[in-house]
């Protein structure tokens, strides 16, 4: 049981994308969240789950393949599960990143 659960992808670098310039990631910095929580609520339980990037791809390979290959019934040039009208979205990295947040 915990009050705060944080799932972290243990990555060291991110490519540039729609939401930023990319660069180095210092994943260990997330651990400072626990201290910040305890300053507000000393009794709070904070738990972290760490996942390696390779684990994500092996666990969700089937779903990612489906999302990245199934075409729209109405328009065979677009993908069914990709918001093609959103100009800032990059195929396939935007949807991959959304899946990582789930």
């Amino acid at each position: 049981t915990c009050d705060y659960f944080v799932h972290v992808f243990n990555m060291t670098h991110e490519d540039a994308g729609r939401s930023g310039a990319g660069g180095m990631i210092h994943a260990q910095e997330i651990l400072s969240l626990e201290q910040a929580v305890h300053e507000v609520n000393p009794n709070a339980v904070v738990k972290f789950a760490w996942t390696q990037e390779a684990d994500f791809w092996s666990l969700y390979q089937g779903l990612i393949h489906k999302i990245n290959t199934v075409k729209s019934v109405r328009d065979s040039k677009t993908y069914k599960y990709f918001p093609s009208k959103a100009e800032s979205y990059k195929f396939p990295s935007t949807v991959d990143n959304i899946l990582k947040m789930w």
Side-chain angles (χ1 to χ4, degrees):
T1 305
C2 64
D3 299 303
Y4 297 90
F5 175 77
V6 182
H7 180 216
V8 182
F9 281 97
N10 195 16
M11 298 173 61
T12 58
H13 184 269
E14 178 183 43
D15 293 334
R18 73 181 279 271
S19 63
M24 295 299 297
I25 296 174
H26 306 283
Q28 296 293 326
E29 290 179 358
I30 193 68
L31 297 173
S32 64
L33 177 66
E34 186 169 13
Q35 180 181 344
V37 167
H38 286 151
E39 288 173 6
V40 177
N41 181 356
N43 298 319
V45 176
V46 181
K47 296 207 176 181
F48 296 87
W50 293 83
T51 302
Q52 301 300 320
E53 179 83 358
D55 295 336
F56 168 78
W57 294 109
S58 69
L59 284 169
Y60 299 104
Q61 181 179 8
L63 176 62
I64 293 166
H65 178 74
K66 178 179 178 179
I67 289 170
N68 291 338
T69 58
V70 174
K71 298 284 188 158
S72 170
V73 175
R74 287 180 246 146
D75 178 3
S76 63
K77 294 180 182 178
T78 61
Y79 295 96
K80 182 175 183 176
Y81 302 106
F82 186 79
S84 56
K85 291 182 181 179
E87 293 179 12
S88 65
Y89 280 34
K90 294 173 86 175
F91 181 82
S93 61
T94 299
V95 175
D96 294 345
N97 288 333
I98 290 169
L99 290 174
K100 288 177 185 175
M101 289 187 279
W102 287 353

